[in-house]
Amino acid sequence: MTKRSAARTVVSAALRGKENEPEPLAPHGFPGHLVGFVEALRARGIAVGPSETVDAGQVLTVLDLMDREMLREGLACALLRRTTQRATFDGLFDLWFPPALGERADAHEVEIPRRPDGEVDIIELRKMVAQLLAADPSGERTRELQQLAAQMVEQMGQYRSANGPSFSAYQTLKDLQPELLVSKLLAGLAAGQDNSAFDNEVARRAARQRIRDFRSTVEAETRRRVAERIGRERVATYGVQRQAEDADFLRISENELAELRRSGQRLARVLAARLAARRRRARRGEIDLRKTLRKSMSTGGVPITLAARKPRPTRPDLVLLCDISGSVAGFSSFTMMLVNSLREQFSRVRIFAFVDRVDEVTHIFDQITPLDQVTRRIFTETKVVGLEGHSDYGAALRVFAENFAEAVSSRTSLLVLGDARTNYRDPALDTLRELAGVAKHAYWLNPESEKMWGTGDSAARRYAEIVEMHECRSARQLTAVVSRLLPV
């Protein structure tokens, strides 16, 4: 019996007596639908095991399944472990447990204003949206906004695609331009206030947040309608927010990068635990084949007792050489922060950054500087940019070998971070070969896909012949690689 069938059997037992006729879109009944939802969560990077699935089934036996928000919160409590997973969970929940099929029956309670010629009156629609957004937040206001969003998607968001009619959030909001409502919302939210600078700023942030929430409501309604046409699994691959740990470093957004920085301490604890486990195993020492064979003479050549070499535990030095230019800046800054959090695991950690010049930036990673300020301080307080300001790996390697050669010794593990794109300049392969020859270990972490190595101005394939190179496109992949490569 597979894990999926076992989980479905347990959930089915938990829901026995609660399950009615199967839904049209749930051929395996409610238990199978729940297991499919769990598999979708796993596909988006949320770790949900069989025990959490069984807990979710037990929770559903005591919930009012007709109360959709109660169902959402109950499943979230049973399946999620971190608050950062909630946005992904909500997106998938809206696809697997939609509020309606097809056009919402209650959407007609809200009428979109129209001109005498039958076209949508955008001016009146903006006033209507502004009034609803400025009203006191309550369940009734939320329901009216959802009904209005459904009507807008139905009447303003339809378009004819190559595969038939479809829906678009951009098409829905193109003429409305909800960002223009900030001033109207400010007037409504600031009413009765003393108009101090603080109150105005609070009202401005509240207005922008309500507009973002309304846009999210329209996007969720659009995803629901599109999912009915092309399938929720396909919509989930592009329409649901991914976990920040799975975001591609070269395409990561500011919000995802900020979320990664906030979770950096948690990832550092994971890495520290893995390194500590490897260090405990290393204390036993490696098997000494010669001594083992000698001891086996008394047992007729059968190696009954294994002899180990005497371990020599030491805390190695670690040197990071990081490209912080362009699109790789997010990857390098996060990796520098992550490795710096492991400082106590090494006898010494030194961090160097470069664009076309190299400078040491170890002192910037202190307990005072916020993580989002580190990159700005590197560019303003150190000499990492020369006259041109374009990536030059060859020049950076040569300057590092000339000015900071003492940083690399026979106890040093050298970690180079960057995409190895040299702008068609000399890659200084001999210099890297000399540095790698001195260091105890040398690795290169590349945020670019391996299939792109060596294309265009990339010297990755040539560098990989000298230094062991690893693909690190996401924080999850980076954590796995670093925990395996860092010396103990």
Side-chain angles (χ1 to χ4, degrees):
M1 180 179 289
T2 64
K3 290 184 178 180
R4 175 172 179 173
S5 59
R8 182 178 296 152
T9 301
V10 176
V11 175
S12 179
L15 295 177
R16 188 172 294 119
K18 192 83 174 181
E19 182 181 0
N20 297 320
E21 292 296 324
E23 294 291 337
L25 297 183
H28 300 290
F30 202 6
H33 192 70
L34 176 60
V35 172
F37 175 61
V38 168
E39 290 180 344
L41 291 174
R42 292 190 192 125
R44 297 302 286 179
I46 299 179
V48 182
S51 62
E52 287 86 0
T53 306
V54 173
D55 290 342
Q58 295 287 355
V59 167
L60 295 183
T61 62
V62 297
L63 291 180
D64 179 5
L65 300 183
M66 299 303 293
D67 189 334
R68 185 166 174 268
E69 291 308 311
M70 183 182 295
L71 178 64
R72 182 196 300 268
E73 297 304 323
L75 290 178
C77 290
L79 298 175
L80 301 185
R81 301 178 182 177
R82 301 196 303 270
T83 56
T84 56
Q85 300 170 341
R86 186 56 192 260
T88 304
F89 171 88
D90 285 339
L92 291 174
F93 180 88
D94 290 336
L95 291 177
W96 259 256
F97 301 91
L101 295 177
E103 187 177 358
R104 293 178 55 153
D106 62 347
H108 294 286
E109 297 178 12
V110 177
E111 292 290 340
I112 294 180
R114 294 184 176 275
R115 299 197 300 264
D117 60 359
E119 295 295 325
V120 176
D121 192 333
I122 298 298
I123 303 299
E124 291 299 322
L125 180 59
R126 283 179 185 159
K127 293 180 181 179
M128 184 178 181
V129 173
Q131 290 174 355
L132 289 174
L133 293 178
D136 292 335
S138 63
E140 181 65 24
R141 183 185 70 88
T142 301
R143 188 175 67 86
E144 291 181 1
L145 281 173
Q146 292 175 347
Q147 293 171 350
L148 179 59
Q151 280 292 298
M152 290 174 59
V153 171
E154 181 69 28
Q155 300 182 29
M156 302 168 59
Q158 290 197 50
Y159 72 99
R160 179 67 60 176
S161 68
N163 297 323
S166 189
F167 299 88
S168 166
Y170 170 78
Q171 179 78 15
T172 303
L173 299 173
K174 179 182 64 174
D175 295 328
L176 180 65
Q177 295 180 323
E179 288 75 13
L180 300 178
L181 302 176
V182 172
S183 59
K184 294 182 181 294
L185 289 181
L186 283 177
L189 295 175
Q193 303 291 335
D194 57 4
N195 294 327
S196 65
F198 176 78
D199 289 335
N200 289 337
E201 180 62 23
V202 170
R204 184 176 293 105
R205 294 189 180 187
R208 290 173 178 169
Q209 183 60 47
R210 293 189 182 187
I211 289 175
R212 286 195 293 268
D213 292 343
F214 178 70
R215 181 180 287 276
S216 298
T217 302
V218 173
E219 292 172 350
E221 180 68 16
T222 303
R223 286 194 297 269
R224 179 182 73 83
R225 300 304 303 273
V226 175
E228 294 174 359
R229 192 178 67 85
I230 65 175
R232 56 181 173 239
E233 290 83 3
R234 183 175 173 185
V235 173
T237 59
Y238 68 85
V240 176
Q241 179 176 325
R242 58 193 170 185
Q243 293 290 285
E245 296 174 15
D246 295 317
D248 193 320
F249 279 121
L250 299 184
R251 298 173 179 83
I252 194 169
S253 66
E254 287 296 329
N255 292 335
E256 290 171 331
L257 186 57
E259 184 59 46
L260 271 185
R261 292 187 180 118
R262 286 192 290 269
S263 63
Q265 292 301 322
R266 180 181 58 81
L267 294 177
R269 289 194 297 271
V270 172
L271 278 177
R274 293 179 182 177
L275 291 177
R278 287 177 53 200
R279 186 173 287 115
R280 286 193 298 269
R281 292 193 297 269
R283 289 189 183 125
R284 294 193 294 265
E286 297 179 354
I287 295 177
D288 190 323
L289 184 59
R290 180 175 296 178
K291 291 183 180 179
T292 300
L293 291 178
R294 284 177 180 173
K295 287 188 175 184
S296 69
M297 299 299 292
S298 61
T299 57
V302 180
I304 300 297
T305 304
L306 299 180
R309 295 189 182 96
K310 183 178 180 180
R312 295 179 175 83
T314 59
R315 290 183 179 268
D317 296 343
L318 185 63
V319 171
L320 269 69
L321 184 58
C322 313
D323 179 8
I324 60 169
S325 64
S327 59
V328 299
F331 160 70
S332 296
S333 63
F334 174 74
T335 307
M336 287 188 289
M337 177 272 297
L338 186 65
V339 173
N340 183 72
S341 301
L342 302 172
R343 185 183 294 272
E344 66 276 6
Q345 302 290 328
F346 305 93
S347 62
R348 182 176 60 171
V349 175
R350 298 183 68 180
I351 304 175
F352 299 85
F354 70 90
V355 177
D356 54 352
R357 295 180 61 183
V358 177
D359 202 356
E360 185 167 5
V361 298
T362 309
H363 62 283
I364 294 179
F365 290 86
D366 50 32
Q367 300 297 325
I368 301 174
T369 305
L371 297 177
D372 57 348
Q373 302 279 332
V374 168
T375 303
R376 182 187 62 80
R377 284 193 61 189
I378 290 176
F379 280 104
T380 56
E381 300 178 17
T382 62
K383 300 177 180 179
V384 298
V385 181
L387 295 177
E388 297 186 6
H390 299 293
S391 295
D392 191 337
Y393 281 78
L397 289 171
R398 283 189 290 267
V399 173
F400 179 79
E402 293 172 2
N403 300 337
F404 305 102
E406 81 287 350
V408 181
S409 66
S410 59
R411 293 186 54 196
T412 301
S413 292
L414 176 64
L415 227 60
V416 184
L417 313 179
D419 58 3
R421 293 202 171 269
T422 63
N423 289 310
Y424 299 102
R425 297 175 180 176
D426 179 15
L429 300 177
D430 293 336
T431 304
L432 179 63
R433 187 175 290 107
E434 293 175 3
L435 293 172
V438 174
K440 184 176 182 179
H441 305 287
Y443 305 106
W444 192 303
L445 307 184
N446 194 328
E448 205 170 49
S449 174
E450 186 173 357
K451 64 183 180 182
M452 300 300 295
W453 296 358
T455 62
D457 61 341
S458 172
R461 296 293 182 189
R462 301 168 69 185
Y463 283 135
E465 295 175 357
I466 303 172
V467 176
E468 186 178 333
M469 187 172 290
H470 298 268
E471 175 187 289
C472 294
R473 299 178 59 191
S474 66
R476 194 182 303 276
Q477 192 176 15
L478 172 68
T479 304
V481 171
V482 169
S483 64
R484 186 175 71 253
L485 295 183
L486 284 183
V488 295

